[in-house]
Amino acid sequence: MRRKLAAGNWKMNGLMEDLEQVRSICVAHTDPAVDLLICPPVTLVSGAVKVAQGHALQIGGQDCHALGAGAHTGDISASMLRDAGATAVILGHSERRADHDESSDDVRAKARAAHAAGLMAVICVGESLTQREAANTLDIIGGQLSSSVPDTATGENTVIAYEPCWAIGTGLTASPDQIGEVHDFIRARLERRFGAGVGRSVRLLYGGSVKPDNAALIFGVSNVDGALVGGASLKQADFTPIINALEGSIHI
Ligand code: PGA
C-alpha cells in the first residue's frame, strides 16, 4: 500500500513572512493517511522545519549538489539540507534541466548523494510539447527514468514526479488518459528494473498546473499517488483543497 503524498514546490518564491502559510497548511492538515511535503527556497528551509515541528509536515530542498562539500560557490549539498532539517529534495525539475543544463546523468549523481545523506529524492521527468507532438513521450520518459534514477532507489527514498513541461505553470493540464498512460508506463519500467517489491512501492506524483478544481480528477487516475504542486502550493487557501482531494481519492 503506497502512502499518498502532496508535495509543494515553492520554486523561487517566499520570504520569511510566508512561513505563516506553512503554519496554516500544517494546522489545516489533519489526516495522518496523507504525507505532506513543502519544498521552500533554501533560505526558508530551517525556518519551515521549526514551524513544522510537531506537525505531520516534511520540509525539502529543491536541488542539491552531487558532492558532499567543496569549492562550489552557491551550491548546497544534500548533507547540508539534511543538517537544516530537510528530509527530501526535488531533483531534475524541468526548470533546472532547462535553466542549468542539468542532464539525467547529473540528476542521477545528485539522487545518489541525496540517498547517501538520508534524503528522499523526488526525481522529475517530463516531455516537452514538441516531443509529445512527435509521439515521443514514452521514449523520452523511459530514457530520463533509466538515466536519472540511481540503483540505490527504494520505495522509501525515491518518488518519481511526472511533469509534462508544457503543463508547468501554463494552466494546461495533461488529460487523465495522458497521465494514466505515462504513470502506468513508469510503474511498469520501475517493476522491470527493480522488481515488483521496489517497483510497486515507489510513489508516482503528477505535476503541472494542479489546482483545487482539477485535483480530484487527477487523483482518480491509476498509479497517481499524489501531486507535485507549484503555484497552488504557495497559499494555504489553494493547497489545502488539493490535499483534501487527495485524502478523498479512492483508487489507491
Ligand atoms: P505548477 O508547477 O503547479 O505551477 O504548474 C508544478 C511544478 O513545476 O512542480
PDB file of all heavy atoms in Angstrom, residues 177-218:
ATOM      1  N   ASP A 177      -6.285  10.562 -19.423  1.00  0.00           N
ATOM      2  CA  ASP A 177      -5.739   9.490 -20.272  1.00  0.00           C
ATOM      3  C   ASP A 177      -4.238   9.647 -20.483  1.00  0.00           C
ATOM      4  O   ASP A 177      -3.477   8.666 -20.435  1.00  0.00           O
ATOM      5  CB  ASP A 177      -6.420   9.487 -21.648  1.00  0.00           C
ATOM      6  CG  ASP A 177      -7.800   8.856 -21.580  1.00  0.00           C
ATOM      7  OD1 ASP A 177      -8.153   8.300 -20.510  1.00  0.00           O
ATOM      8  OD2 ASP A 177      -8.529   8.944 -22.588  1.00  0.00           O
ATOM      9  N   GLN A 178      -3.825  10.887 -20.715  1.00  0.00           N
ATOM     10  CA  GLN A 178      -2.386  11.135 -20.919  1.00  0.00           C
ATOM     11  C   GLN A 178      -1.601  10.825 -19.643  1.00  0.00           C
ATOM     12  O   GLN A 178      -0.528  10.217 -19.690  1.00  0.00           O
ATOM     13  CB  GLN A 178      -2.157  12.601 -21.322  1.00  0.00           C
ATOM     14  CG  GLN A 178      -2.649  12.929 -22.728  1.00  0.00           C
ATOM     15  CD  GLN A 178      -2.608  14.421 -23.027  1.00  0.00           C
ATOM     16  OE1 GLN A 178      -2.841  15.260 -22.148  1.00  0.00           O
ATOM     17  NE2 GLN A 178      -2.314  14.759 -24.270  1.00  0.00           N
ATOM     18  N   ILE A 179      -2.139  11.241 -18.509  1.00  0.00           N
ATOM     19  CA  ILE A 179      -1.457  10.992 -17.229  1.00  0.00           C
ATOM     20  C   ILE A 179      -1.401   9.486 -16.958  1.00  0.00           C
ATOM     21  O   ILE A 179      -0.357   8.933 -16.605  1.00  0.00           O
ATOM     22  CB  ILE A 179      -2.174  11.727 -16.068  1.00  0.00           C
ATOM     23  CG1 ILE A 179      -2.139  13.232 -16.291  1.00  0.00           C
ATOM     24  CG2 ILE A 179      -1.543  11.355 -14.729  1.00  0.00           C
ATOM     25  CD1 ILE A 179      -2.991  14.034 -15.315  1.00  0.00           C
ATOM     26  N   GLY A 180      -2.533   8.824 -17.161  1.00  0.00           N
ATOM     27  CA  GLY A 180      -2.606   7.385 -16.884  1.00  0.00           C
ATOM     28  C   GLY A 180      -1.632   6.600 -17.751  1.00  0.00           C
ATOM     29  O   GLY A 180      -0.957   5.679 -17.271  1.00  0.00           O
ATOM     30  N   GLU A 181      -1.533   6.974 -19.009  1.00  0.00           N
ATOM     31  CA  GLU A 181      -0.624   6.250 -19.913  1.00  0.00           C
ATOM     32  C   GLU A 181       0.821   6.350 -19.404  1.00  0.00           C
ATOM     33  O   GLU A 181       1.550   5.349 -19.329  1.00  0.00           O
ATOM     34  CB  GLU A 181      -0.715   6.832 -21.333  1.00  0.00           C
ATOM     35  CG  GLU A 181       0.184   6.108 -22.310  1.00  0.00           C
ATOM     36  CD  GLU A 181       0.307   6.807 -23.663  1.00  0.00           C
ATOM     37  OE1 GLU A 181       0.238   8.054 -23.711  1.00  0.00           O
ATOM     38  OE2 GLU A 181       0.469   6.088 -24.665  1.00  0.00           O
ATOM     39  N   VAL A 182       1.225   7.576 -19.039  1.00  0.00           N
ATOM     40  CA  VAL A 182       2.621   7.764 -18.607  1.00  0.00           C
ATOM     41  C   VAL A 182       2.856   7.120 -17.240  1.00  0.00           C
ATOM     42  O   VAL A 182       3.872   6.464 -17.011  1.00  0.00           O
ATOM     43  CB  VAL A 182       2.995   9.261 -18.608  1.00  0.00           C
ATOM     44  CG1 VAL A 182       4.399   9.454 -18.040  1.00  0.00           C
ATOM     45  CG2 VAL A 182       2.915   9.832 -20.020  1.00  0.00           C
ATOM     46  N   HIS A 183       1.917   7.277 -16.318  1.00  0.00           N
ATOM     47  CA  HIS A 183       2.129   6.703 -14.978  1.00  0.00           C
ATOM     48  C   HIS A 183       2.162   5.170 -15.029  1.00  0.00           C
ATOM     49  O   HIS A 183       2.981   4.551 -14.342  1.00  0.00           O
ATOM     50  CB  HIS A 183       1.057   7.213 -13.998  1.00  0.00           C
ATOM     51  CG  HIS A 183       1.366   8.575 -13.459  1.00  0.00           C
ATOM     52  ND1 HIS A 183       1.431   8.861 -12.110  1.00  0.00           N
ATOM     53  CD2 HIS A 183       1.662   9.729 -14.093  1.00  0.00           C
ATOM     54  CE1 HIS A 183       1.759  10.135 -11.945  1.00  0.00           C
ATOM     55  NE2 HIS A 183       1.883  10.686 -13.138  1.00  0.00           N
ATOM     56  N   ASP A 184       1.307   4.565 -15.844  1.00  0.00           N
ATOM     57  CA  ASP A 184       1.343   3.095 -15.977  1.00  0.00           C
ATOM     58  C   ASP A 184       2.672   2.652 -16.587  1.00  0.00           C
ATOM     59  O   ASP A 184       3.255   1.640 -16.192  1.00  0.00           O
ATOM     60  CB  ASP A 184       0.177   2.594 -16.850  1.00  0.00           C
ATOM     61  CG  ASP A 184      -1.176   2.747 -16.151  1.00  0.00           C
ATOM     62  OD1 ASP A 184      -1.199   3.082 -14.938  1.00  0.00           O
ATOM     63  OD2 ASP A 184      -2.221   2.549 -16.812  1.00  0.00           O
ATOM     64  N   PHE A 185       3.150   3.448 -17.545  1.00  0.00           N
ATOM     65  CA  PHE A 185       4.424   3.147 -18.195  1.00  0.00           C
ATOM     66  C   PHE A 185       5.575   3.237 -17.179  1.00  0.00           C
ATOM     67  O   PHE A 185       6.448   2.356 -17.116  1.00  0.00           O
ATOM     68  CB  PHE A 185       4.641   4.138 -19.349  1.00  0.00           C
ATOM     69  CG  PHE A 185       5.993   4.084 -19.980  1.00  0.00           C
ATOM     70  CD1 PHE A 185       6.301   3.103 -20.918  1.00  0.00           C
ATOM     71  CD2 PHE A 185       6.960   5.023 -19.655  1.00  0.00           C
ATOM     72  CE1 PHE A 185       7.561   3.055 -21.512  1.00  0.00           C
ATOM     73  CE2 PHE A 185       8.219   4.986 -20.244  1.00  0.00           C
ATOM     74  CZ  PHE A 185       8.520   4.002 -21.173  1.00  0.00           C
ATOM     75  N   ILE A 186       5.563   4.310 -16.367  1.00  0.00           N
ATOM     76  CA  ILE A 186       6.633   4.472 -15.360  1.00  0.00           C
ATOM     77  C   ILE A 186       6.587   3.307 -14.374  1.00  0.00           C
ATOM     78  O   ILE A 186       7.618   2.723 -14.020  1.00  0.00           O
ATOM     79  CB  ILE A 186       6.491   5.821 -14.612  1.00  0.00           C
ATOM     80  CG1 ILE A 186       6.733   6.987 -15.571  1.00  0.00           C
ATOM     81  CG2 ILE A 186       7.452   5.887 -13.423  1.00  0.00           C
ATOM     82  CD1 ILE A 186       6.465   8.374 -14.978  1.00  0.00           C
ATOM     83  N   ARG A 187       5.396   2.948 -13.939  1.00  0.00           N
ATOM     84  CA  ARG A 187       5.259   1.833 -12.989  1.00  0.00           C
ATOM     85  C   ARG A 187       5.841   0.551 -13.597  1.00  0.00           C
ATOM     86  O   ARG A 187       6.608  -0.167 -12.948  1.00  0.00           O
ATOM     87  CB  ARG A 187       3.768   1.632 -12.647  1.00  0.00           C
ATOM     88  CG  ARG A 187       3.484   0.461 -11.725  1.00  0.00           C
ATOM     89  CD  ARG A 187       3.963   0.675 -10.295  1.00  0.00           C
ATOM     90  NE  ARG A 187       3.293   1.781  -9.649  1.00  0.00           N
ATOM     91  CZ  ARG A 187       3.874   2.603  -8.750  1.00  0.00           C
ATOM     92  NH1 ARG A 187       5.127   2.406  -8.373  1.00  0.00           N
ATOM     93  NH2 ARG A 187       3.208   3.601  -8.224  1.00  0.00           N
ATOM     94  N   ALA A 188       5.490   0.274 -14.850  1.00  0.00           N
ATOM     95  CA  ALA A 188       5.978  -0.951 -15.495  1.00  0.00           C
ATOM     96  C   ALA A 188       7.501  -0.929 -15.611  1.00  0.00           C
ATOM     97  O   ALA A 188       8.182  -1.940 -15.373  1.00  0.00           O
ATOM     98  CB  ALA A 188       5.335  -1.103 -16.875  1.00  0.00           C
ATOM     99  N   ARG A 189       8.060   0.225 -15.977  1.00  0.00           N
ATOM    100  CA  ARG A 189       9.521   0.347 -16.100  1.00  0.00           C
ATOM    101  C   ARG A 189      10.213   0.127 -14.753  1.00  0.00           C
ATOM    102  O   ARG A 189      11.256  -0.520 -14.677  1.00  0.00           O
ATOM    103  CB  ARG A 189       9.898   1.728 -16.634  1.00  0.00           C
ATOM    104  CG  ARG A 189       9.759   1.861 -18.129  1.00  0.00           C
ATOM    105  CD  ARG A 189      10.726   0.919 -18.808  1.00  0.00           C
ATOM    106  NE  ARG A 189      10.516   0.856 -20.229  1.00  0.00           N
ATOM    107  CZ  ARG A 189      11.236   1.543 -21.123  1.00  0.00           C
ATOM    108  NH1 ARG A 189      12.197   2.337 -20.734  1.00  0.00           N
ATOM    109  NH2 ARG A 189      10.982   1.414 -22.402  1.00  0.00           N
ATOM    110  N   LEU A 190       9.636   0.693 -13.691  1.00  0.00           N
ATOM    111  CA  LEU A 190      10.242   0.533 -12.365  1.00  0.00           C
ATOM    112  C   LEU A 190      10.186  -0.930 -11.926  1.00  0.00           C
ATOM    113  O   LEU A 190      11.147  -1.465 -11.365  1.00  0.00           O
ATOM    114  CB  LEU A 190       9.522   1.413 -11.331  1.00  0.00           C
ATOM    115  CG  LEU A 190       9.716   2.928 -11.479  1.00  0.00           C
ATOM    116  CD1 LEU A 190       8.812   3.679 -10.498  1.00  0.00           C
ATOM    117  CD2 LEU A 190      11.175   3.327 -11.246  1.00  0.00           C
ATOM    118  N   GLU A 191       9.072  -1.584 -12.206  1.00  0.00           N
ATOM    119  CA  GLU A 191       8.940  -3.002 -11.825  1.00  0.00           C
ATOM    120  C   GLU A 191       9.946  -3.859 -12.599  1.00  0.00           C
ATOM    121  O   GLU A 191      10.531  -4.792 -12.058  1.00  0.00           O
ATOM    122  CB  GLU A 191       7.518  -3.493 -12.075  1.00  0.00           C
ATOM    123  CG  GLU A 191       6.525  -2.971 -11.044  1.00  0.00           C
ATOM    124  CD  GLU A 191       5.126  -3.548 -11.246  1.00  0.00           C
ATOM    125  OE1 GLU A 191       4.994  -4.684 -11.724  1.00  0.00           O
ATOM    126  OE2 GLU A 191       4.168  -2.825 -10.940  1.00  0.00           O
ATOM    127  N   ARG A 192      10.115  -3.518 -13.883  1.00  0.00           N
ATOM    128  CA  ARG A 192      11.040  -4.294 -14.701  1.00  0.00           C
ATOM    129  C   ARG A 192      12.472  -4.131 -14.186  1.00  0.00           C
ATOM    130  O   ARG A 192      13.232  -5.086 -14.111  1.00  0.00           O
ATOM    131  CB  ARG A 192      10.946  -3.823 -16.153  1.00  0.00           C
ATOM    132  CG  ARG A 192      11.549  -4.801 -17.134  1.00  0.00           C
ATOM    133  CD  ARG A 192      11.258  -4.406 -18.553  1.00  0.00           C
ATOM    134  NE  ARG A 192      12.193  -3.376 -19.003  1.00  0.00           N
ATOM    135  CZ  ARG A 192      12.090  -2.744 -20.164  1.00  0.00           C
ATOM    136  NH1 ARG A 192      11.083  -2.993 -20.984  1.00  0.00           N
ATOM    137  NH2 ARG A 192      12.974  -1.832 -20.517  1.00  0.00           N
ATOM    138  N   ARG A 193      12.817  -2.915 -13.808  1.00  0.00           N
ATOM    139  CA  ARG A 193      14.210  -2.669 -13.397  1.00  0.00           C
ATOM    140  C   ARG A 193      14.487  -3.096 -11.961  1.00  0.00           C
ATOM    141  O   ARG A 193      15.538  -3.650 -11.655  1.00  0.00           O
ATOM    142  CB  ARG A 193      14.529  -1.174 -13.565  1.00  0.00           C
ATOM    143  CG  ARG A 193      15.907  -0.812 -13.043  1.00  0.00           C
ATOM    144  CD  ARG A 193      16.335   0.565 -13.471  1.00  0.00           C
ATOM    145  NE  ARG A 193      17.490   0.999 -12.708  1.00  0.00           N
ATOM    146  CZ  ARG A 193      17.902   2.246 -12.608  1.00  0.00           C
ATOM    147  NH1 ARG A 193      17.237   3.193 -13.252  1.00  0.00           N
ATOM    148  NH2 ARG A 193      18.954   2.553 -11.883  1.00  0.00           N
ATOM    149  N   PHE A 194      13.553  -2.810 -11.069  1.00  0.00           N
ATOM    150  CA  PHE A 194      13.829  -3.011  -9.635  1.00  0.00           C
ATOM    151  C   PHE A 194      13.111  -4.222  -9.047  1.00  0.00           C
ATOM    152  O   PHE A 194      13.298  -4.535  -7.876  1.00  0.00           O
ATOM    153  CB  PHE A 194      13.440  -1.762  -8.833  1.00  0.00           C
ATOM    154  CG  PHE A 194      14.299  -0.562  -9.134  1.00  0.00           C
ATOM    155  CD1 PHE A 194      13.856   0.444  -9.976  1.00  0.00           C
ATOM    156  CD2 PHE A 194      15.566  -0.447  -8.578  1.00  0.00           C
ATOM    157  CE1 PHE A 194      14.649   1.546 -10.256  1.00  0.00           C
ATOM    158  CE2 PHE A 194      16.372   0.654  -8.844  1.00  0.00           C
ATOM    159  CZ  PHE A 194      15.911   1.655  -9.692  1.00  0.00           C
ATOM    160  N   GLY A 195      12.261  -4.864  -9.848  1.00  0.00           N
ATOM    161  CA  GLY A 195      11.463  -5.966  -9.321  1.00  0.00           C
ATOM    162  C   GLY A 195      10.155  -5.426  -8.746  1.00  0.00           C
ATOM    163  O   GLY A 195      10.018  -4.222  -8.504  1.00  0.00           O
ATOM    164  N   ALA A 196       9.222  -6.347  -8.539  1.00  0.00           N
ATOM    165  CA  ALA A 196       7.875  -5.919  -8.134  1.00  0.00           C
ATOM    166  C   ALA A 196       7.884  -5.219  -6.780  1.00  0.00           C
ATOM    167  O   ALA A 196       7.167  -4.239  -6.575  1.00  0.00           O
ATOM    168  CB  ALA A 196       6.940  -7.123  -8.105  1.00  0.00           C
ATOM    169  N   GLY A 197       8.711  -5.699  -5.846  1.00  0.00           N
ATOM    170  CA  GLY A 197       8.693  -5.128  -4.496  1.00  0.00           C
ATOM    171  C   GLY A 197       8.978  -3.638  -4.508  1.00  0.00           C
ATOM    172  O   GLY A 197       8.144  -2.820  -4.119  1.00  0.00           O
ATOM    173  N   VAL A 198      10.152  -3.277  -5.010  1.00  0.00           N
ATOM    174  CA  VAL A 198      10.536  -1.862  -5.064  1.00  0.00           C
ATOM    175  C   VAL A 198       9.700  -1.141  -6.121  1.00  0.00           C
ATOM    176  O   VAL A 198       9.185  -0.045  -5.898  1.00  0.00           O
ATOM    177  CB  VAL A 198      12.047  -1.707  -5.352  1.00  0.00           C
ATOM    178  CG1 VAL A 198      12.401  -0.262  -5.673  1.00  0.00           C
ATOM    179  CG2 VAL A 198      12.855  -2.192  -4.153  1.00  0.00           C
ATOM    180  N   GLY A 199       9.537  -1.768  -7.278  1.00  0.00           N
ATOM    181  CA  GLY A 199       8.833  -1.125  -8.389  1.00  0.00           C
ATOM    182  C   GLY A 199       7.425  -0.700  -8.040  1.00  0.00           C
ATOM    183  O   GLY A 199       6.938   0.328  -8.515  1.00  0.00           O
ATOM    184  N   ARG A 200       6.788  -1.483  -7.198  1.00  0.00           N
ATOM    185  CA  ARG A 200       5.411  -1.132  -6.818  1.00  0.00           C
ATOM    186  C   ARG A 200       5.340  -0.197  -5.626  1.00  0.00           C
ATOM    187  O   ARG A 200       4.268   0.321  -5.305  1.00  0.00           O
ATOM    188  CB  ARG A 200       4.624  -2.400  -6.484  1.00  0.00           C
ATOM    189  CG  ARG A 200       4.193  -3.113  -7.743  1.00  0.00           C
ATOM    190  CD  ARG A 200       3.315  -4.311  -7.457  1.00  0.00           C
ATOM    191  NE  ARG A 200       3.384  -5.198  -8.605  1.00  0.00           N
ATOM    192  CZ  ARG A 200       3.156  -6.493  -8.567  1.00  0.00           C
ATOM    193  NH1 ARG A 200       2.830  -7.085  -7.440  1.00  0.00           N
ATOM    194  NH2 ARG A 200       3.238  -7.220  -9.660  1.00  0.00           N
ATOM    195  N   SER A 201       6.462  -0.023  -4.925  1.00  0.00           N
ATOM    196  CA  SER A 201       6.384   0.799  -3.715  1.00  0.00           C
ATOM    197  C   SER A 201       6.813   2.251  -3.938  1.00  0.00           C
ATOM    198  O   SER A 201       6.549   3.113  -3.115  1.00  0.00           O
ATOM    199  CB  SER A 201       7.212   0.168  -2.590  1.00  0.00           C
ATOM    200  OG  SER A 201       8.568   0.108  -2.985  1.00  0.00           O
ATOM    201  N   VAL A 202       7.460   2.534  -5.077  1.00  0.00           N
ATOM    202  CA  VAL A 202       7.856   3.922  -5.367  1.00  0.00           C
ATOM    203  C   VAL A 202       6.599   4.726  -5.705  1.00  0.00           C
ATOM    204  O   VAL A 202       5.801   4.319  -6.545  1.00  0.00           O
ATOM    205  CB  VAL A 202       8.849   3.962  -6.559  1.00  0.00           C
ATOM    206  CG1 VAL A 202       9.116   5.390  -7.003  1.00  0.00           C
ATOM    207  CG2 VAL A 202      10.152   3.263  -6.184  1.00  0.00           C
ATOM    208  N   ARG A 203       6.465   5.870  -5.063  1.00  0.00           N
ATOM    209  CA  ARG A 203       5.261   6.678  -5.326  1.00  0.00           C
ATOM    210  C   ARG A 203       5.441   7.537  -6.576  1.00  0.00           C
ATOM    211  O   ARG A 203       6.528   8.045  -6.821  1.00  0.00           O
ATOM    212  CB  ARG A 203       4.943   7.549  -4.111  1.00  0.00           C
ATOM    213  CG  ARG A 203       4.456   6.676  -2.959  1.00  0.00           C
ATOM    214  CD  ARG A 203       4.220   7.461  -1.705  1.00  0.00           C
ATOM    215  NE  ARG A 203       5.467   7.887  -1.099  1.00  0.00           N
ATOM    216  CZ  ARG A 203       5.516   8.580   0.034  1.00  0.00           C
ATOM    217  NH1 ARG A 203       4.394   8.939   0.638  1.00  0.00           N
ATOM    218  NH2 ARG A 203       6.679   8.931   0.549  1.00  0.00           N
ATOM    219  N   LEU A 204       4.370   7.684  -7.331  1.00  0.00           N
ATOM    220  CA  LEU A 204       4.391   8.465  -8.568  1.00  0.00           C
ATOM    221  C   LEU A 204       3.475   9.679  -8.412  1.00  0.00           C
ATOM    222  O   LEU A 204       2.274   9.531  -8.147  1.00  0.00           O
ATOM    223  CB  LEU A 204       3.899   7.622  -9.754  1.00  0.00           C
ATOM    224  CG  LEU A 204       4.567   6.251  -9.963  1.00  0.00           C
ATOM    225  CD1 LEU A 204       4.065   5.609 -11.256  1.00  0.00           C
ATOM    226  CD2 LEU A 204       6.083   6.379  -9.996  1.00  0.00           C
ATOM    227  N   LEU A 205       4.050  10.860  -8.563  1.00  0.00           N
ATOM    228  CA  LEU A 205       3.278  12.094  -8.465  1.00  0.00           C
ATOM    229  C   LEU A 205       3.054  12.675  -9.850  1.00  0.00           C
ATOM    230  O   LEU A 205       3.926  12.576 -10.713  1.00  0.00           O
ATOM    231  CB  LEU A 205       4.032  13.142  -7.623  1.00  0.00           C
ATOM    232  CG  LEU A 205       4.537  12.722  -6.251  1.00  0.00           C
ATOM    233  CD1 LEU A 205       5.177  13.916  -5.554  1.00  0.00           C
ATOM    234  CD2 LEU A 205       3.405  12.143  -5.411  1.00  0.00           C
ATOM    235  N   TYR A 206       1.912  13.309 -10.031  1.00  0.00           N
ATOM    236  CA  TYR A 206       1.712  14.114 -11.241  1.00  0.00           C
ATOM    237  C   TYR A 206       1.952  15.575 -10.882  1.00  0.00           C
ATOM    238  O   TYR A 206       1.574  16.024  -9.787  1.00  0.00           O
ATOM    239  CB  TYR A 206       0.280  13.955 -11.800  1.00  0.00           C
ATOM    240  CG  TYR A 206       0.042  14.989 -12.880  1.00  0.00           C
ATOM    241  CD1 TYR A 206       0.565  14.800 -14.156  1.00  0.00           C
ATOM    242  CD2 TYR A 206      -0.608  16.196 -12.592  1.00  0.00           C
ATOM    243  CE1 TYR A 206       0.434  15.778 -15.131  1.00  0.00           C
ATOM    244  CE2 TYR A 206      -0.743  17.180 -13.565  1.00  0.00           C
ATOM    245  CZ  TYR A 206      -0.221  16.966 -14.829  1.00  0.00           C
ATOM    246  OH  TYR A 206      -0.331  17.949 -15.783  1.00  0.00           O
ATOM    247  N   GLY A 207       2.575  16.317 -11.783  1.00  0.00           N
ATOM    248  CA  GLY A 207       2.757  17.756 -11.577  1.00  0.00           C
ATOM    249  C   GLY A 207       2.547  18.517 -12.870  1.00  0.00           C
ATOM    250  O   GLY A 207       2.846  18.014 -13.959  1.00  0.00           O
ATOM    251  N   GLY A 208       2.024  19.718 -12.751  1.00  0.00           N
ATOM    252  CA  GLY A 208       1.760  20.557 -13.929  1.00  0.00           C
ATOM    253  C   GLY A 208       0.376  21.144 -13.819  1.00  0.00           C
ATOM    254  O   GLY A 208      -0.608  20.491 -14.169  1.00  0.00           O
ATOM    255  N   SER A 209       0.317  22.381 -13.259  1.00  0.00           N
ATOM    256  CA  SER A 209      -0.950  23.106 -13.124  1.00  0.00           C
ATOM    257  C   SER A 209      -2.022  22.332 -12.346  1.00  0.00           C
ATOM    258  O   SER A 209      -3.201  22.370 -12.705  1.00  0.00           O
ATOM    259  CB  SER A 209      -1.483  23.529 -14.502  1.00  0.00           C
ATOM    260  OG  SER A 209      -0.553  24.382 -15.141  1.00  0.00           O
ATOM    261  N   VAL A 210      -1.607  21.627 -11.308  1.00  0.00           N
ATOM    262  CA  VAL A 210      -2.602  21.020 -10.411  1.00  0.00           C
ATOM    263  C   VAL A 210      -3.215  22.139  -9.577  1.00  0.00           C
ATOM    264  O   VAL A 210      -2.503  22.958  -8.987  1.00  0.00           O
ATOM    265  CB  VAL A 210      -1.964  19.954  -9.482  1.00  0.00           C
ATOM    266  CG1 VAL A 210      -3.001  19.394  -8.511  1.00  0.00           C
ATOM    267  CG2 VAL A 210      -1.339  18.833 -10.305  1.00  0.00           C
ATOM    268  N   LYS A 211      -4.544  22.192  -9.569  1.00  0.00           N
ATOM    269  CA  LYS A 211      -5.288  23.270  -8.896  1.00  0.00           C
ATOM    270  C   LYS A 211      -6.418  22.634  -8.097  1.00  0.00           C
ATOM    271  O   LYS A 211      -6.781  21.478  -8.334  1.00  0.00           O
ATOM    272  CB  LYS A 211      -5.896  24.229  -9.943  1.00  0.00           C
ATOM    273  CG  LYS A 211      -4.909  24.804 -10.933  1.00  0.00           C
ATOM    274  CD  LYS A 211      -3.997  25.857 -10.309  1.00  0.00           C
ATOM    275  CE  LYS A 211      -2.976  26.354 -11.333  1.00  0.00           C
ATOM    276  NZ  LYS A 211      -1.759  26.886 -10.754  1.00  0.00           N
ATOM    277  N   PRO A 212      -7.033  23.430  -7.208  1.00  0.00           N
ATOM    278  CA  PRO A 212      -8.149  22.862  -6.437  1.00  0.00           C
ATOM    279  C   PRO A 212      -9.245  22.282  -7.335  1.00  0.00           C
ATOM    280  O   PRO A 212      -9.856  21.266  -7.004  1.00  0.00           O
ATOM    281  CB  PRO A 212      -8.673  24.070  -5.641  1.00  0.00           C
ATOM    282  CG  PRO A 212      -7.488  24.959  -5.484  1.00  0.00           C
ATOM    283  CD  PRO A 212      -6.682  24.796  -6.748  1.00  0.00           C
ATOM    284  N   ASP A 213      -9.482  22.899  -8.507  1.00  0.00           N
ATOM    285  CA  ASP A 213     -10.627  22.440  -9.309  1.00  0.00           C
ATOM    286  C   ASP A 213     -10.312  21.261 -10.238  1.00  0.00           C
ATOM    287  O   ASP A 213     -11.223  20.704 -10.847  1.00  0.00           O
ATOM    288  CB  ASP A 213     -11.254  23.611 -10.093  1.00  0.00           C
ATOM    289  CG  ASP A 213     -10.253  24.238 -11.050  1.00  0.00           C
ATOM    290  OD1 ASP A 213      -9.072  23.822 -11.044  1.00  0.00           O
ATOM    291  OD2 ASP A 213     -10.656  25.133 -11.811  1.00  0.00           O
ATOM    292  N   ASN A 214      -9.054  20.867 -10.378  1.00  0.00           N
ATOM    293  CA  ASN A 214      -8.789  19.685 -11.217  1.00  0.00           C
ATOM    294  C   ASN A 214      -8.150  18.533 -10.433  1.00  0.00           C
ATOM    295  O   ASN A 214      -7.898  17.461 -10.970  1.00  0.00           O
ATOM    296  CB  ASN A 214      -7.923  20.043 -12.438  1.00  0.00           C
ATOM    297  CG  ASN A 214      -6.545  20.600 -12.055  1.00  0.00           C
ATOM    298  OD1 ASN A 214      -6.079  20.385 -10.944  1.00  0.00           O
ATOM    299  ND2 ASN A 214      -5.916  21.316 -12.963  1.00  0.00           N
ATOM    300  N   ALA A 215      -7.890  18.777  -9.148  1.00  0.00           N
ATOM    301  CA  ALA A 215      -7.133  17.789  -8.363  1.00  0.00           C
ATOM    302  C   ALA A 215      -7.871  16.449  -8.259  1.00  0.00           C
ATOM    303  O   ALA A 215      -7.264  15.390  -8.451  1.00  0.00           O
ATOM    304  CB  ALA A 215      -6.838  18.346  -6.977  1.00  0.00           C
ATOM    305  N   ALA A 216      -9.160  16.487  -7.976  1.00  0.00           N
ATOM    306  CA  ALA A 216      -9.894  15.235  -7.752  1.00  0.00           C
ATOM    307  C   ALA A 216      -9.849  14.362  -9.004  1.00  0.00           C
ATOM    308  O   ALA A 216      -9.677  13.132  -8.922  1.00  0.00           O
ATOM    309  CB  ALA A 216     -11.335  15.527  -7.355  1.00  0.00           C
ATOM    310  N   LEU A 217      -9.993  14.977 -10.172  1.00  0.00           N
ATOM    311  CA  LEU A 217      -9.960  14.234 -11.433  1.00  0.00           C
ATOM    312  C   LEU A 217      -8.592  13.551 -11.608  1.00  0.00           C
ATOM    313  O   LEU A 217      -8.502  12.365 -11.955  1.00  0.00           O
ATOM    314  CB  LEU A 217     -10.216  15.211 -12.592  1.00  0.00           C
ATOM    315  CG  LEU A 217     -10.373  14.610 -13.975  1.00  0.00           C
ATOM    316  CD1 LEU A 217     -11.659  13.777 -14.031  1.00  0.00           C
ATOM    317  CD2 LEU A 217     -10.409  15.713 -15.038  1.00  0.00           C
ATOM    318  N   ILE A 218      -7.532  14.302 -11.326  1.00  0.00           N
ATOM    319  CA  ILE A 218      -6.170  13.770 -11.486  1.00  0.00           C
ATOM    320  C   ILE A 218      -5.913  12.637 -10.487  1.00  0.00           C
ATOM    321  O   ILE A 218      -5.337  11.604 -10.829  1.00  0.00           O
ATOM    322  CB  ILE A 218      -5.144  14.916 -11.320  1.00  0.00           C
ATOM    323  CG1 ILE A 218      -5.264  15.898 -12.483  1.00  0.00           C
ATOM    324  CG2 ILE A 218      -3.721  14.372 -11.198  1.00  0.00           C
ATOM    325  CD1 ILE A 218      -4.565  17.224 -12.282  1.00  0.00           C
TER     326      ILE A 218
END
